[in-house]
């Protein structure tokens, strides 16, 4: 073989090709850094104002009124352009400000553009304005860790995913001590305002900070972030104020691209069922969007499952006088039966493969499991409270945790309801597989939320599916259907008459469609028996090879691959929708600050319509707060929005379920959403869920 003379390593590394290949700045990054998202018309003016708007009503919680007195009467504000503003207004808009910004909770694509929008608006109003980024989430505020942002830093992250610039964290400022430390930092830094970019819990935090700092005239503005899409705001009359949190679209598109690729793979080598769990701690918005984007064969929506009632069991129990309403909701067993039904029906038409999408928060909607989650939340929270020691530190091993629960049956702990963990709970819990017990007992996050992302829900469901499919296969109900052409070809090649063997082999011979081997034929032995009984084979004769081949093809293997799509989509680069949305949110946050508001959440109304109808807003946070149980205590929080199963998006998915299951001959109906493109007219301009849910709704109105 001819030898090439190796190039000197120093020269090699200086080579342009090598330099380009090893640079972290890819072509995509270059495109993103240079991209300027469009801005809402109102921001084309130098000066904006936030004007309070009539016509929106909120049902205010008494507790919110008590705990947040200074911000509870805040109104919705629209960002507008003042006509001939007096000099004093212009001066105030342009006065020098010091503004802090913090990311809180899980990353969501677009966060960097909130910073960029805020930074650009602030610098445009006055070059002397200073923006400080708190590091690693709310801990940065508590511990006084921050950096002052400059042009270069901001420019390095424009339109890029992640929260890498200043990082994020899940700490909650939920004790008097943490609040005092946060306040010290904010006051010592002389901040005029702080922007909290976060989910429901973080915006709750923003409201409490706004109340605490009200007397000090430090303004707090929230920004609705979370890939889960569960911050959606309407007023009491159903007017939509914020249709979706940022990050949702990008994560959904990233998950959809991956699920679509798997659908392509499965329908190519036709041997795997891909079971895909997609993030979304509680609400199933992401799973719904993935269904619309990909037309996966089976998609489950938690909110729909929660609506399910096993009517037969309910009627039977009523007749027996043993009604317990909690026992007739969706169970994991029933869910696995529904999945098996889809698998069996597809196999019958020769499609022993496909894709299933299940939402991360599924378990929350399965009554039997939700009961465990709620009970264990209370038990763990009460243990931590009474012992001033973490449950998981005291009982690091699963066996120790199970022992503790077992002891509760006999001796209820102080502070807990006597029956909170009874013998039946203990027995049912001990019947669950170890990994599932571990999952349900897993450490709660700092907000007291159950960490669904840590539980391999798909594995729990899959184990049940596998067990039931085995039963169905042994009963001869799970079969791979065989095309008439294939059957005829194989027997013809072997010189056998297909019409002679067909009636003995198949349950539906002579009928159109795929051929299904008789239910009674489930093994080589039963196959031979059938042929002998039919008189077409001697008891000591061998099954013809072609018949054996047909039988073997009809016996399904259930091969699966499980996937979890979560952190990958959270870290993706934002879609153009999210780039634009977040940049304008940053601009909105500055306008709200410049107008002196506090306890408001920056938002854009009419996201579900075209960009030219977008309207920047401030939504008062305090009136949105409700009491919810967290860490075993009733706490004021911002309510999460679940999937509305009466809205068009879900109804469309439901109407297309059968079509997308494609349990009929012919091709699957998979949709290929394609990769996230930034500056292309082929890129969709908003999530499909939003588009559908806006049908029949005027811009700015409710359903
Ligand atoms: P946020 O609500 O903070 O945006 O986070 C949502 C989420 O992405 C969920 O979908 C998921 O369950 C959770 O974060 C995972 O959290 P962690 O980063 O703590 O594993």
């Amino acid at each position: 073989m001819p030898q090439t003379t190796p190039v000197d390593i120093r020269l090699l590394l200086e080579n342009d090709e090598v330099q380009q290949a090893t640079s972290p700045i890819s072509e995509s990054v270059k495109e993103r850094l240079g991209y300027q998202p469009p801005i809402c018309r109102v921001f084309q003016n130098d000066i904006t104002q936030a004007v309070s708007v009539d016509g929106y009503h909120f049902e205010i919680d008494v507790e919110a009124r008590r705990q947040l007195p200074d911000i509870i009467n805040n109104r919705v504000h629209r960002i507008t352009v003042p006509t001939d503003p007096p000099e004093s207004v212009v001066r105030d808009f342009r006065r020098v400000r010091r503004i802090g910004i913090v990311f809180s909770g899980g990353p969501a694509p677009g966060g960097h553009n909130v910073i960029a929008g805020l930074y650009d608006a602030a610098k445009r109003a006055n070059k002397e304005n200073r923006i400080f980024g708190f590091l690693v989430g709310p801990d940065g505020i508590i511990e006084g860790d921050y950096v002052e942002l400059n042009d270069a830093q901001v420019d390095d992250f424009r339109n890029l995913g992640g929260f890498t610039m200043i990082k994020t964290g899940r700490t909650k400022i939920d004790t008097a001590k943490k609040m005092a430390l946060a306040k010290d930092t904010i006051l010592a830094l002389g901040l005029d305002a702080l922007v909290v970019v976060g989910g429901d819990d973080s915006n709750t935090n923003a409201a409490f900070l706004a109340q605490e700092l009200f007397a000090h005239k430090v303004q707090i503005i929230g920004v609705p972030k979370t890939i889960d899409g569960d911050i959606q705001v309407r007023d009491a009359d159903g007017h939509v104020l914020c249709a979706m949190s940022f990050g949702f679209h990008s994560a959904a598109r990233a998950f959809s691209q991956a699920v679509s690729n798997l659908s392509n793979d499965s329908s190519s080598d036709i041997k795997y069922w891909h079971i895909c769990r997609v993030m979304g701690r509680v609400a199933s918005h992401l799973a719904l969007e993935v269904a619309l984007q990909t037309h996966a064969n089976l998609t489950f929506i938690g909110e729909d499952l929660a609506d399910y009632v096993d009517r037969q069991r309910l009627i039977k129990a009523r007749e027996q006088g043993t009604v317990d309403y909690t026992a007739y909701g969706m169970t994991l067993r029933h869910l696995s039966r529904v999945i098996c039904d889809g698998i069996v029906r597809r196999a019958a038409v020769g499609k022993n493969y496909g894709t299933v999408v299940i939402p991360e928060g599924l378990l929350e909607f399965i009554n039997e499991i939700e009961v465990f989650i709620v009970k264990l939340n209370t038990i763990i929270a009460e243990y931590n409270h009474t012992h001033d020691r973490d449950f998981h530190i005291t009982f690091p091993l699963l066996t120790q945790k199970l022992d503790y629960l077992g002891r509760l049956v006999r001796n209820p702990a102080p502070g807990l309801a006597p029956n909170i963990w009874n013998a039946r709970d203990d027995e049912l819990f001990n019947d669950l597989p170890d990994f599932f017990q571990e999952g349900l007992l897993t450490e709660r996050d700092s907000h007291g939320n159950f960490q669904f992302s840590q539980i391999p829900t798909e594995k729990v469901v899959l184990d049940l599916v596998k067990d039931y499919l085995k039963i169905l296969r042994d009963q001869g109900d799970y079969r791979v259907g065989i095309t008439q052409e294939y059957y005829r070809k194989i027997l013809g090649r072997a010189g056998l008459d297909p019409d002679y063997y067909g009636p003995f082999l198949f349950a539906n011979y002579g009928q159109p469609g795929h051929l299904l081997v008789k239910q009674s034929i489930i093994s080589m032995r039963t196959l031979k028996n059938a042929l002998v009984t039919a008189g077409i084979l001697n008891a000591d004769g061998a099954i013809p090879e072609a018949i054996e081949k047909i039988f073997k093809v009809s016996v399904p293997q259930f091969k699966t691959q499980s996937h979890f799509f979560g952190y990958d989509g959270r870290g993706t680069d934002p879609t153009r929708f999210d780039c634009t949305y977040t940049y304008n949110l940053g601009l909105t946050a500055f306008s709200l600050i410049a107008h002196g508001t506090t306890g408001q959440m920056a938002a854009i109304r009419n996201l579900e319509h075209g960009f030219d109808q977008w309207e920047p807003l401030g939504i008062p946070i305090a009136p949105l707060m409700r009491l919810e149980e967290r860490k075993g205590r009733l706490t004021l929080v911002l309510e999460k929005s679940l999937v509305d199963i009466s809205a068009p998006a879900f109804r469309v998915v439901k109407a297309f379920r059968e079509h997308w299951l494609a349990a009929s001959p012919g091709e699957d109906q998979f949709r290929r959403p394609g990769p996230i493109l930034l500056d292309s007219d082929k890129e969709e301009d908003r999530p499909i869920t939003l588009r559908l849910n806006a049908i029949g709704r005027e811009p700015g109105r409710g359903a």
Side-chain angles (χ1 to χ4, degrees):
M1 227 160 87
Q3 296 281 310
T4 47
T5 328
V7 181
D8 175 81
I9 186 67
R10 199 174 42 79
L11 291 177
L12 181 65
L13 296 184
E14 280 169 5
N15 178 288
D16 280 355
E17 206 61 62
V18 173
Q19 299 246 318
Q20 238 180 50
T22 53
S23 158
I25 311 293
S26 65
E27 289 306 309
S28 158
V29 169
K30 277 186 211 156
E31 184 199 17
R32 286 187 167 272
L33 296 181
Y35 178 71
Q36 175 57 52
I39 57 175
C40 296
R41 197 169 313 127
V42 64
F43 295 124
Q44 284 161 8
N45 297 278
D46 277 351
I47 310 278
T48 53
Q49 61 182 0
V51 186
S52 87
V53 222
D54 292 330
Y56 294 106
H57 307 103
F58 299 96
E59 276 164 16
I60 292 178
D61 191 286
V62 198
E63 196 51 29
R65 185 174 294 288
R66 193 182 69 76
Q67 294 189 30
L68 301 162
D70 294 320
I71 56 167
I72 197 71
N73 293 322
N74 277 357
R75 316 253 313 265
V76 172
H77 281 68
R78 236 176 66 212
I79 309 298
T80 61
V81 181
T83 35
D84 291 332
E87 189 45 39
S88 58
V89 169
V90 177
R91 213 178 315 118
D92 197 43
F93 187 88
R94 294 201 184 284
R95 90 178 151 79
V96 179
R97 290 183 164 84
R98 295 163 73 90
I99 303 172
I101 186 161
V102 65
F103 288 140
S104 178
H112 289 134
N113 273 22
V114 177
I115 296 186
L118 175 75
Y119 184 90
D120 291 353
K123 293 287 180 187
R124 182 179 174 194
N126 189 328
K127 280 203 165 31
E128 300 305 313
N129 280 339
R130 296 172 70 184
I131 309 289
F132 300 90
F134 286 101
L135 299 176
V136 201
D139 272 337
I141 312 181
I142 295 168
E143 288 164 21
D145 266 349
Y146 55 85
V147 286
E148 180 170 356
L149 303 180
N150 57 35
D151 292 358
Q153 257 166 324
V154 175
D155 288 348
D156 278 353
F157 290 95
R158 285 179 194 268
N159 305 300
L160 293 186
F163 282 179
T164 33
M165 188 202 291
I166 53 174
K167 323 295 176 200
T168 186
R170 286 202 182 275
T171 297
K172 190 174 179 182
I173 306 177
D174 57 354
T175 61
K177 189 170 170 204
K178 285 193 243 176
M179 185 59 90
L181 289 169
K183 194 165 151 187
D184 284 352
T185 305
I186 291 169
L187 296 179
L189 193 54
L191 291 188
D192 295 277
L194 170 71
V195 177
V196 178
V197 182
D200 50 342
D201 288 323
S202 313
N203 274 282
T204 297
N205 241 207
F208 281 102
L209 276 169
Q211 175 61 46
E212 185 72 23
L213 289 155
F214 189 83
H216 297 272
K217 295 196 165 39
V218 180
Q219 301 159 249
I220 310 291
I221 302 295
V223 177
K225 166 238 70 157
T226 172
I227 62 160
D228 293 2
D230 55 11
I231 303 191
Q232 299 178 8
V233 184
R234 286 170 183 244
D235 78 346
D237 301 321
H239 298 135
V240 182
L241 291 163
C242 169
M244 189 56 75
S245 49
F246 82 76
F248 167 80
H249 185 230
S250 313
R253 289 277 274 103
F255 297 159
S256 300
Q257 167 72 350
V259 169
S260 161
N261 293 347
L262 292 173
S263 298
N264 293 339
D265 187 79
S266 81
S267 55
S268 304
D269 76 350
I270 61 170
K271 68 176 183 224
Y272 287 124
W273 271 93
H274 290 280
I275 315 295
C276 311
R277 173 168 53 119
V278 303
M279 250 190 193
R281 190 200 301 275
V282 176
S284 301
H285 299 290
L286 282 164
L288 184 66
E289 180 72 16
V290 170
L292 289 162
Q293 294 274 355
T294 65
H295 305 178
N297 300 117
L298 285 161
T299 301
F300 294 92
I301 301 299
E303 291 81 344
D304 175 42
L305 300 182
D307 208 38
Y308 170 85
V309 175
D310 188 336
R311 298 209 177 276
Q312 280 177 352
R313 282 182 64 198
L314 190 60
I315 291 166
K316 205 164 145 203
R318 271 192 190 137
E319 283 165 5
Q320 294 169 348
T322 55
V323 177
D324 167 6
Y325 289 92
T326 57
Y328 310 112
M330 178 60 69
T331 59
L332 280 177
R333 197 160 156 270
H334 186 82
L335 176 68
S336 67
R337 302 298 190 256
V338 177
I339 298 177
C340 289
D341 182 61
I343 292 171
V344 166
R345 288 181 51 215
R346 275 178 63 83
V349 293
K351 299 174 183 170
N352 192 29
Y353 59 85
T355 38
V356 181
V357 174
I358 60 173
E360 177 185 83
L362 178 96
L363 298 177
E364 172 102 3
F365 298 97
I366 304 283
N367 189 266
E368 55 181 351
I369 303 300
E370 167 63 357
V371 170
F372 278 139
I373 293 175
V374 170
K375 287 187 173 202
L376 292 171
N377 277 356
T378 312
I379 290 168
I380 294 171
E382 198 52 50
Y383 181 93
N384 294 348
H385 181 70
T386 316
H387 296 80
D388 196 21
R389 190 177 157 79
D390 189 83
F391 178 82
H392 299 279
I393 293 179
T394 316
F395 307 115
L397 303 177
L398 176 63
T399 48
Q400 296 170 322
K401 290 177 182 145
L402 294 178
D403 263 6
Y404 177 76
L405 291 174
R407 286 205 299 278
L408 278 186
V409 177
R410 298 182 294 277
N411 305 311
L416 286 175
N419 210 20
I420 189 150
W421 195 256
N422 56 40
R424 175 104 184 106
D425 291 325
D426 209 46
E427 191 188 328
L428 286 176
F429 197 75
N430 276 298
D431 273 353
L432 300 174
D434 285 9
F435 76 89
F436 194 21
Q437 290 175 336
E438 293 257 22
L440 291 171
L441 279 162
T442 205
E443 208 164 333
R444 275 51 183 163
D445 76 3
S446 57
H447 302 274
N449 294 317
F450 181 71
Q451 302 202 58
F452 286 100
S453 57
Q454 307 304 316
I455 293 213
T457 312
E458 71 282 12
K459 188 162 151 29
V460 181
V461 175
L462 206 51
D463 282 356
L464 290 166
V465 167
K466 278 183 183 157
D467 288 350
Y468 192 53
L469 279 180
K470 189 172 170 318
I471 295 174
L472 292 176
R473 192 170 44 204
D474 292 349
Q475 287 173 352
D477 289 324
Y478 176 28
R479 290 275 189 235
V480 178
I482 291 166
T483 61
Q484 313 251 359
E485 299 72 36
Y486 181 73
Y487 169 64
R488 289 185 170 281
K489 190 178 75 187
I490 298 299
L491 263 71
R493 268 194 205 151
L496 301 177
D497 178 4
D499 292 331
Y500 180 65
Y501 286 91
F504 302 107
L505 204 52
F506 300 110
N508 57 345
Y509 197 70
Q511 294 167 30
H514 285 68
L515 297 168
L516 292 170
V517 168
K518 281 187 175 165
Q519 236 184 337
S520 53
I521 304 177
I522 52 167
S523 60
M524 292 301 286
R525 195 161 53 81
T526 49
L527 172 63
K528 185 165 180 184
N529 284 347
L531 298 179
V532 171
T533 314
I536 52 180
L537 187 71
N538 290 329
D540 52 359
I543 301 170
E545 255 178 53
I547 300 287
E548 187 177 326
K549 179 165 183 174
I550 290 292
F551 170 69
K552 285 191 173 155
V553 170
S554 82
V555 179
Q557 299 274 323
F558 181 56
K559 290 191 179 171
T560 60
Q561 299 286 346
S562 329
H563 314 265
F564 173 40
F565 298 115
Y567 301 100
D568 49 341
R570 241 173 44 169
T572 191
D573 284 331
T575 57
R576 189 168 60 198
F577 170 84
D578 272 328
C579 288
T580 310
Y581 180 18
T582 46
Y583 189 73
N584 281 279
L585 281 175
L587 301 177
T588 307
F590 180 76
S591 284
L592 290 168
I593 292 168
H595 188 69
T597 67
T598 187
Q600 299 283 113
M601 185 160 73
I604 309 276
R605 195 168 69 140
N606 291 341
L607 283 177
E608 61 278 40
H609 300 279
F611 175 70
D612 53 345
Q613 308 205 43
W614 285 19
E615 262 185 28
L617 285 186
I619 306 175
I621 308 175
L624 307 176
M625 305 207 4
R626 299 283 172 267
L627 281 176
E628 244 182 49
E629 191 175 313
R630 289 292 169 87
K631 297 189 185 175
R633 305 240 175 296
L634 282 176
T635 313
L636 267 186
V637 290
L638 198 71
E639 226 178 349
K640 276 190 201 304
S641 294
L642 301 182
V643 170
D644 177 0
I645 56 170
S646 64
F650 176 73
R651 288 173 55 210
V652 168
V653 167
K654 192 171 172 185
F656 272 84
R657 255 184 198 155
E658 190 57 27
H659 191 56
W660 295 345
L661 176 65
S664 53
E667 283 304 310
D668 279 297
Q669 302 300 322
F670 299 133
R671 177 178 185 270
R672 299 172 188 235
I676 293 172
L677 303 170
L678 183 61
D679 199 7
S680 154
D681 57 4
K682 300 289 177 288
E683 176 66 25
E684 69 183 18
D685 66 352
R686 61 199 117 140
I688 303 179
T689 313
L690 287 197
R691 211 175 254 285
L692 294 182
N693 283 347
I695 293 175
R697 201 198 286 158
E698 299 270 304
R701 309 300 300 178

